Amino acid sequence: MYHKFQISGEVFRTLGLKMKILTTVIFTGLLIWSIMLLSLSTNFNNKLLDATTNDSKESETSSDKLIGGLLTADFEEGSCLSRYHKSFLYRKPSPYKPSEYLVSKLRSYEMLHKRCGPGTKAYKEATENLVHDEIHGNKSVGDECRYIVWIAGYGLGNQILTLASVFLYALLTERIILVDQTKDIADLLCEPFPGTSWLLPPDFPLMKQIDGYNKGHPRCYGTMLNDHTINSTSIPTHLYLHNLHDSRDEDKMFFCQQDQDLINKVPWLIIKSNVYFVPSLWFNPTYLPELTKLFPQKDTVFHHLSRYLLHPTNQVWGMVTRYYHAHLSRPDERLGIQIRVFRKDAGYFQHVMDQVIACTQREKLLPELATQEESRFNESNIPKLKAVLVTSLYPEYSDNLKNMYWERPSSTGEVIEVYQPSGERFQQTDKKIHDQKALAEIYLLSLTDNIVTSARSTFGYVAYSLGGLKPWLLYQPTDLITPDPPCVRSTSMEPCYLTPPSHGCEADWGKNSGKIVPFLKHCEDIMYGGLKLYDEV
């Protein structure tokens, strides 16, 4: 009996142990399964969150790439890398957003250009009418498509400024802009309009006489006005608009309402210009409401137009990106300095060097040098790195600046690195590789955080306005003396119209054109003359 009981107890103990083991296994399994379910749920939620975030990032990136709708997405990226990449890979997002009206106007223009551009039936008919070169009565000549042909010349900065000016005029008047490609424009800039071209075809009927246009030409608008050979009853097939530094007031006032009533009937306009004439367009009471809707912030005109219109070709963009990654991507801050010497014996001048140093140190753009007694640099801290990008025809300016900060420490402990992409000593207008380097340098300057430019330099105007920067303008020296003060901070990022009309469209001839409307004033870097857009706020 005892043995039977003993056996039964052992059996029960064995069964109890097995139950504990089974219970432990089941509990452990449930625990592992719960952890797996939780992990799967977390992963799913994370993936869902990531997908949502990625969608959001892609949406933001897409918006950045198109600059708030300023650009169209209808281009293949590889054909022109700068079009979509420049706006969000190398530059901080611009605080200046294009108006919805400007975006809408650009899309409408693109459709118009596609309908009327080279290779279309409309273009063929328009050029056939141009061949006859007749004077017609009081009616428009041709069909719905009217054109304005831009003639290249007078240096790269001037070309870019006038290209933007002519495009804005085309936008306001619904004309097709065609650009002269006898220079190197096709090697500098990509096509800006999808599905069509803005390049003037080589077989354009007036191509052989394009270089012969001047203010004495019989089809020059100002000359025809003075000679009374144009009026509402005698409309020519084409007109030449002379808008250069030597233009007469009769030439400069072509945009005025009274003049436009006649000019609008002319199907073909040929324009030669070397000035940024955008400010004068605001004098036309017909254009003023339209311009205000397009550009509610008035000093953003060139900033928006240049980012829409001007995209460097892949060759030029390669120069920009290689130099940027090699020298400008690491620094904490970037300062651009553009130096242009307006003298027949231009070169390196000590008074200009002194002016650059005085301006940059006075405005706290560059630190002063430490004295021998000073020891403010703490080697335990990583110093701030500032890159200075100098563009000039003469390398001595950057060499001196580089040696200055190499030989002695700065008073703030900042490390200053100075770079200059090229120094070719002579301007070589219309030489392909020279112009490509110049355009690359303009874009590199536009990628800096602050910028100092020379007075009256169209090269500098393009760079700071493209970058959305309000520059420090170096006053133009006289008599080899450093100006005091050396520079002034502009309150506008618009380029200056260097030779504006003396008066507005409706004003008396004796009235100063800089005092007609509150947002058009004289430029800071020109003591007398010059006209510039300023935001009223």
Side-chain angles (χ1 to χ4, degrees), residues 244-261:
L244 300 172
H245 56 279
D246 65 345
S247 295
R248 305 154 293 191
D249 262 351
E250 292 86 353
D251 298 306
K252 297 175 185 177
M253 308 301 284
F254 74 92
F255 54 84
C256 290
Q257 191 172 27
Q258 182 177 347
D259 301 82
Q260 282 298 301
D261 288 343

Side-chain angles (χ1 to χ4, degrees), residues 17 54 64 85 119 164 188 204 275 350 368 486-487 514 518 521 525:
L17 181 60
N54 287 337
D64 290 342
H85 291 187
L188 297 173
F204 178 62
V275 290
Q350 188 58 46
E368 296 181 0
C487 60
K521 304 174 186 175
D525 53 329

Side-chain angles (χ1 to χ4, degrees), residues 102 106 109 148-153 155-173 175 177-179 185 189 192-193 198 243 254 271 273-282 291 294-295 300-311 443 458 461-463 465-466 493-496 533:
L102 174 59
L106 291 172
Y109 176 83
I148 183 165
V149 176
W150 171 83
I151 303 177
L156 183 62
N158 296 30
Q159 290 180 21
I160 292 175
L161 291 178
T162 62
L163 196 52
S165 302
V166 174
F167 176 67
L168 179 56
Y169 176 73
L171 205 62
L172 291 170
T173 57
R175 285 184 180 270
I177 182 174
L178 297 174
V179 304
I185 193 72
L189 299 172
F193 315 126
W198 70 340
N243 199 352
F254 74 92
I271 187 167
S273 179
N274 65 347
V275 290
Y276 181 69
F277 61 82
V278 163
S280 61
L281 297 176
W282 296 72
L291 286 165
L294 289 168
F295 306 101
T300 62
V301 178
F302 186 81
H303 180 60
H304 290 319
L305 292 182
S306 61
R307 293 186 303 156
Y308 169 76
L309 201 64
L310 309 173
H311 311 293
Y443 266 85
T458 56
Y461 291 166
V462 175
S465 192
L466 176 63
M493 58 187 177
E494 271 288 289
C496 178
L533 279 161

